[in-house]
Amino acid sequence: MTDAVQTQSSPGEFKQRVFSGIQPSGGLTLGNYLGAIKRFVDMQENGIETLYCVVDMHAITVWQDPAALRRQTRELAAGYLAAGLDPARSILFNQSQVSQHAELGWIFNCVARMGWMNRMTQWKDKAGKNAEKASLGLFAYPSLMAADILVYHATHVPVGEDQKQHVELTRDIAAKFNHDYGVDFFPLSEPVIEGAATRVMSLRDGSKKMSKSDPSDASRINMTDDADTIAQKIRKAKTDPEALPGETEGLKDRPEARNLVNIYAALAEQSVDQVLAQVGGQQFSQFKPLLSDLAVAKLAPISGEMARLMQDPAEIDRILGQGAERARAIAAPILARTYEIVGMIR
Ligand code: AQP
């Protein structure tokens, strides 16, 4: 399908290609939408080649009930489609259908260093004090993520702020591989972290990221929440007693207020300054209903479409299968060349 795969060149000479993924480790949140999917759609509209993956192999680094994993994989694919990703223009697939990810992941396990993995914030957050009991997969997660990106020689990776460190590690792995084998084979991929909501915070705690696996459902807005639930969660969102400031500077040291304004700005596609010019001086009792109305107006069409798509799981599976075939056509020659560089007889 592609004639653009480059198997030898210096990092600067790679064709622009975008790759990103989301784990089907729960339902999609507003954080995933604003920090990732909305950006995925923007990049698709820019005419660059785009691959978007449901990273099911990452999801099982923590326990997933098999039936729930299947449902969440389809629901995430439905979220991609409902938000505007077009399978004719973007390659949409689930990771486990393209075995090249796991194969390159193994090679990168042998390139990456234990110390690098140990320094990953997500590893420390997720394994915490129970590192001894965490899966080996959770520890090696960033190495598989590097393979996800580099098996396509992707040059750009749209992600939320929390994934920046993993994309930087991907660059380190690419650079070490290139150095160790004396090649300029893998590009140094760039994270693309843009927009007003690159880090959407929990509605219950402005110092914690909004996350699909947070035990508190009230901490997040799920893409499948109905209008009443969204309004209720925003009404109960933690705030402070002050009125909203007129300028961005006034949000300093007010994490909860900053979070709600950032969410508003991202949904309204305005800058934080523009939003504050309109709502500065308002109490939260005035601002929260505005935010609810906006969130419902933006999210309801997406959740409605997700529900419609979920009624035909066979069609979702067909789209993922077709995407996987196109993804394999790009990944296979890059992996084959990698094996050759490493010295494997094929
Ligand atoms: N709160 C967030 N704000 C902005 N962006 C976010 N992303 C996740 N949460 C936020 C972005 O969504 C993409 C997919 O993330 P992921 O599913 O691969 O893993 P994650 O970052 O660990 O997301 P979650 O929701 O917190 O999942 P769990 O709870 O399973 O760990 C990434 O681009 C991420 O930056």
Side-chain angles (χ1 to χ4, degrees):
M1 89 115 233
T2 179
D3 55 5
V5 174
Q6 299 181 5
T7 52
Q8 312 167 34
S9 70
S10 67
E13 291 167 4
F14 286 83
K15 173 193 169 185
Q16 288 207 340
R17 181 178 285 145
V18 172
F19 173 90
S20 198
I22 298 183
Q23 302 183 68
S25 48
L28 276 173
T29 70
L30 181 66
N32 297 133
Y33 175 64
L34 294 177
I37 301 183
K38 201 163 178 300
R39 310 286 310 123
F40 296 178
V41 177
D42 292 345
M43 297 194 96
Q44 169 186 269
E45 303 307 320
N46 281 346
I48 310 170
E49 187 179 18
T50 44
L51 293 103
Y52 298 121
C53 189
V54 178
V55 286
D56 47 7
M57 291 167 65
H58 285 282
I60 62 162
T61 55
V62 296
W63 167 253
Q64 302 292 333
D65 171 76
L69 181 62
R70 261 188 291 277
R71 192 190 61 249
Q72 287 158 193
T73 298
R74 290 186 180 123
E75 197 175 272
L76 178 45
Y80 281 174
L81 296 165
L85 292 180
D86 172 0
R89 285 188 291 159
S90 289
I91 299 179
L92 308 179
F93 65 106
N94 58 312
Q95 185 187 26
S96 61
Q97 292 207 68
V98 182
S99 61
Q100 285 81 6
H101 289 238
E103 292 181 64
L104 187 61
W106 179 257
I107 294 176
F108 287 167
N109 282 346
C110 302
V111 173
R113 305 290 97 180
M114 300 273 284
W116 299 359
M117 301 292 161
N118 257 324
R119 283 194 285 277
M120 293 296 109
T121 310
Q122 185 168 295
W123 160 251
K124 289 187 217 162
D125 287 350
K126 288 198 171 172
K129 293 191 185 89
N130 285 323
E132 287 286 318
K133 296 219 168 103
S135 73
L136 187 54
L138 188 65
F139 187 67
Y141 178 117
S143 160
L144 179 59
M145 178 164 158
D148 298 336
I149 296 165
L150 294 173
V151 83
Y152 301 105
H153 279 186
T155 52
H156 294 85
V157 189
V159 282
E161 184 66 40
D162 62 310
Q163 291 292 338
K164 184 173 180 215
Q165 197 185 27
H166 287 167
V167 183
E168 283 166 357
L169 186 101
T170 299
R171 293 164 64 89
D172 291 344
I173 291 177
K176 180 159 164 55
F177 180 98
N178 289 345
H179 175 265
D180 288 356
Y181 291 100
V183 291
D184 271 336
F185 184 59
F186 287 115
L188 302 186
S189 318
E190 297 279 350
V192 182
I193 302 171
E194 286 171 355
T198 55
R199 189 168 170 79
V200 178
M201 308 310 280
S202 157
L203 298 180
R204 308 301 301 161
D205 176 353
S207 67
K208 245 172 84 181
K209 185 186 83 138
M210 182 181 286
S211 184
K212 46 177 128 65
S213 61
D214 191 314
S216 161
D217 191 59
S219 70
R220 62 178 162 263
I221 292 174
N222 303 301
M223 294 303 288
T224 48
D225 284 344
D226 60 24
D228 286 347
T229 311
I230 293 176
Q232 194 191 40
K233 286 178 177 177
I234 292 177
R235 200 163 50 243
K236 290 194 171 160
K238 188 174 166 203
T239 47
D240 56 43
E242 308 292 316
L244 283 165
E247 285 167 8
T248 309
E249 183 62 17
L251 292 171
K252 207 167 154 262
D253 302 324
R254 296 181 63 189
E256 282 86 14
R258 190 174 58 231
N259 188 36
L260 295 187
V261 172
N262 282 349
I263 292 174
Y264 189 101
L267 287 169
E269 301 187 357
Q270 291 179 344
S271 70
V272 169
D273 280 329
Q274 283 172 322
V275 174
L276 290 177
Q278 297 154 40
V279 303
Q282 285 189 9
Q283 298 295 330
F284 282 103
S285 55
Q286 294 167 281
F287 177 64
K288 281 179 168 180
L290 294 181
L291 178 58
S292 292
D293 289 350
L294 179 63
V296 169
K298 295 285 179 176
L299 301 184
I302 301 176
S303 62
E305 179 62 3
M306 279 171 77
R308 191 189 69 77
L309 291 163
M310 282 299 281
Q311 286 174 4
D312 190 356
E315 175 60 9
I316 295 178
D317 294 359
R318 191 192 64 76
I319 290 170
L320 292 175
Q322 213 168 54
E325 208 172 298
R326 294 168 66 199
R328 274 193 297 271
I330 303 174
I334 292 179
L335 181 70
R337 176 78 186 118
T338 309
Y339 278 134
E340 217 169 87
I341 291 170
V342 170
M344 308 272 184
I345 292 175
R346 307 294 290 161

